[in-house]
Amino acid sequence: MATTTSASFSRLSIPPKSPSQPQFLIFTSPFQTKSPSSRTRFTCSAGETGLFTKLGRLLKEKAKSDVEKLFSGFSKTRNNLSVIDELLLYWNLSDTDKVLDELEEALLVSDFGPKITIKIVENLREDILSGKLKSGSEIKEALKKNVLDLLSNKGSKTELQLGYRKPAVIMIVGVNGGGKTTSLGKLAYRLKNGGAKILLAAGDTFRAAASDQLEIWAERTGCEIVVAESEKSKASAVLSQAVKRGKELGYDIVLCDTSGRLHTNYRLMEELISCKKAVAKVVAGAPNEILLVLDGTTGLNMLPQAREFNEVVGVTGLILTKLDGSARGGCVVSVVDELGIPVKFVGVGEGVEDLQPFDAEAFVNAIFL
């Protein structure tokens, strides 16, 4: 077993069991190797201390406390929808059809999608004509409640479902360019700050720079990482080895990166099935979460991607990125309603803390003034 040191990492080489098997490396941040005492604060047992329950609570509290960041992140969508306030300011019953037509247009421009938009507008029309809604402010509150109900009914499980066994395994999947590896790094930062001992797995063996990118995130977050030393290593082998190491060394969570792929590339999509099966052989019930990263700037165009990934591997949650640069925040509602998959995190900025746990009520308040 050979060890070399550099300014940033110490590299622990794990020899293969036979010459034909790929060799893997664990990169260890110096922060975690200073002394035994610096490691002991991460050696908490999920079963004994309820770490995963605590993490869920912390993430939910963070979502509530970071409302200002979420508010700022959805400013472009909110600007698109601000016309609704102007429409409702001087609303009267005789203007109902005209106002609802313009409200419909505002929702469509923000990528709520035709199906959702018609559902919301017709609900409002019915309540107005029945006399339930008698003022512009009441219509505005009813609009917000309609959107919140859509998110809550089909996407209520926004917390990470990590089970009770260690390590919990989270697979991150998605197309190239959607922010998959960056989202994984930011998620590692958030979970580690919650007290979890995190191991990263560089399962993107298709893109040459992917392991390097994840190594940078490992250094930034002070996490350890397993990478393949051989270019010929299969992604499933890397993830299997990482989960084995996570199990042997008492990690709480293994975060698995995967190769970015178009949803139309069936060979690469089949590779995801192999990865899923590989980790399940090591830890029963793994992966606990399969999170699909979707680029928020694509709006409703993300739906075909999400459908295909869900059919192949069974997506358990969504991470929507780059929403701060988009006026298409309504796609959050559409994707939840269409697929019944909860949004777990949203990306609202470039900073390491800008991957926000999704909170439906905070989201609704952020897009409607």
Side-chain angles (χ1 to χ4, degrees), residues 236-252:
S236 57
V238 178
L239 300 193
S240 176
Q241 180 71 9
V243 176
K244 284 177 184 173
R245 301 300 294 181
K247 190 174 181 180
E248 292 166 2
L249 300 176
Y251 284 87
D252 296 309

Side-chain angles (χ1 to χ4, degrees), residues 125-137:
R125 189 189 307 276
E126 185 178 326
D127 287 347
I128 290 169
L129 296 180
S130 68
K132 290 180 182 178
L133 304 176
K134 299 176 181 177
S135 67
S137 60

Side-chain angles (χ1 to χ4, degrees), residues 27-326:
F27 295 64
T28 309
S29 164
F31 173 78
Q32 292 172 296
T33 57
K34 287 180 181 177
S35 68
S37 61
S38 68
R39 292 193 299 269
T40 52
R41 68 188 187 97
F42 296 112
T43 58
C44 40
S45 167
E48 292 173 8
T49 66
L51 172 66
F52 296 155
T53 302
K54 175 191 168 190
L55 273 175
R57 187 179 70 251
L58 288 174
L59 290 175
K60 186 177 283 189
E61 289 172 358
K62 187 69 173 171
K64 296 289 186 185
S65 65
D66 281 355
V67 170
E68 188 176 329
K69 191 166 285 189
L70 197 69
F71 191 83
S72 173
F74 282 102
S75 60
K76 292 186 177 181
T77 299
R78 188 168 58 255
N79 289 341
N80 261 0
L81 295 171
S82 62
V83 66
I84 293 173
D85 291 300
E86 297 171 24
L87 291 171
L88 297 177
L89 185 61
Y90 301 108
W91 172 84
N92 61 67
L93 190 59
S94 62
D95 291 334
T96 296
D97 287 339
K98 178 185 175 184
V99 167
L100 290 180
D101 284 346
E102 293 190 41
L103 188 150
E104 180 178 312
E105 184 179 344
L107 293 175
L108 288 170
V109 167
S110 297
D111 257 19
F112 274 79
K115 181 182 172 184
I116 293 293
T117 298
I118 291 171
K119 187 186 293 187
I120 292 171
V121 170
E122 289 310 309
N123 283 347
L124 293 175
R125 189 189 307 276
E126 185 178 326
D127 287 347
I128 290 169
L129 296 180
S130 68
K132 290 180 182 178
L133 304 176
K134 299 176 181 177
S135 67
S137 60
E138 288 181 356
I139 295 171
K140 174 71 174 292
E141 287 308 308
L143 169 61
K144 292 170 70 172
K145 184 178 184 302
N146 267 271
V147 174
L148 183 58
D149 286 347
L150 286 166
L151 289 169
S152 301
N153 292 340
K154 289 193 175 181
S156 57
K157 293 184 178 179
T158 57
E159 300 89 358
L160 289 175
Q161 307 296 310
L162 299 179
Y164 300 97
R165 290 189 180 94
K166 283 177 48 176
V169 180
I170 300 174
M171 276 178 60
I172 309 292
V173 302
V175 302
N176 282 324
K180 179 173 53 64
T181 304
T182 299
S183 295
L184 186 150
K186 291 179 179 180
L187 181 56
Y189 173 84
R190 193 170 283 283
L191 294 174
K192 187 170 184 293
N193 277 1
K197 186 179 179 184
I198 306 294
L199 180 63
L200 307 184
D204 186 349
T205 57
F206 190 74
R207 185 166 60 95
S211 291
D212 294 339
Q213 185 182 356
L214 199 60
E215 285 175 38
I216 292 170
W217 275 107
E219 184 171 11
R220 288 181 70 181
T221 58
C223 295
E224 292 180 346
I225 179 172
V226 172
V227 302
E229 191 174 52
S230 167
E231 294 180 1
K232 296 180 181 179
S233 298
K234 291 184 178 180
S236 57
V238 178
L239 300 193
S240 176
Q241 180 71 9
V243 176
K244 284 177 184 173
R245 301 300 294 181
K247 190 174 181 180
E248 292 166 2
L249 300 176
Y251 284 87
D252 296 309
I253 301 171
V254 180
L255 286 174
C256 302
D257 196 12
T258 59
S259 300
R261 63 207 71 218
L262 289 172
H263 56 288
T264 52
N265 188 325
Y266 296 107
R267 183 182 67 80
L268 285 177
M269 291 295 279
E270 286 292 318
E271 182 186 77
L272 284 180
I273 298 175
S274 298
C275 291
K276 185 178 177 180
K277 288 179 178 178
V279 299
K281 288 178 181 177
V282 183
V283 176
N288 303 80
E289 291 273 15
I290 299 177
L291 303 182
L292 173 62
V293 177
L294 294 169
D295 183 344
T297 62
T298 64
L300 292 176
N301 293 326
M302 69 174 65
L303 284 173
Q305 294 175 27
R307 285 194 193 98
E308 194 65 42
F309 274 96
N310 190 39
E311 285 177 16
V312 172
V313 291
V315 173
T316 60
L318 304 171
I319 298 176
L320 302 184
T321 63
K322 308 178 186 180
L323 287 169
D324 56 309
S326 169

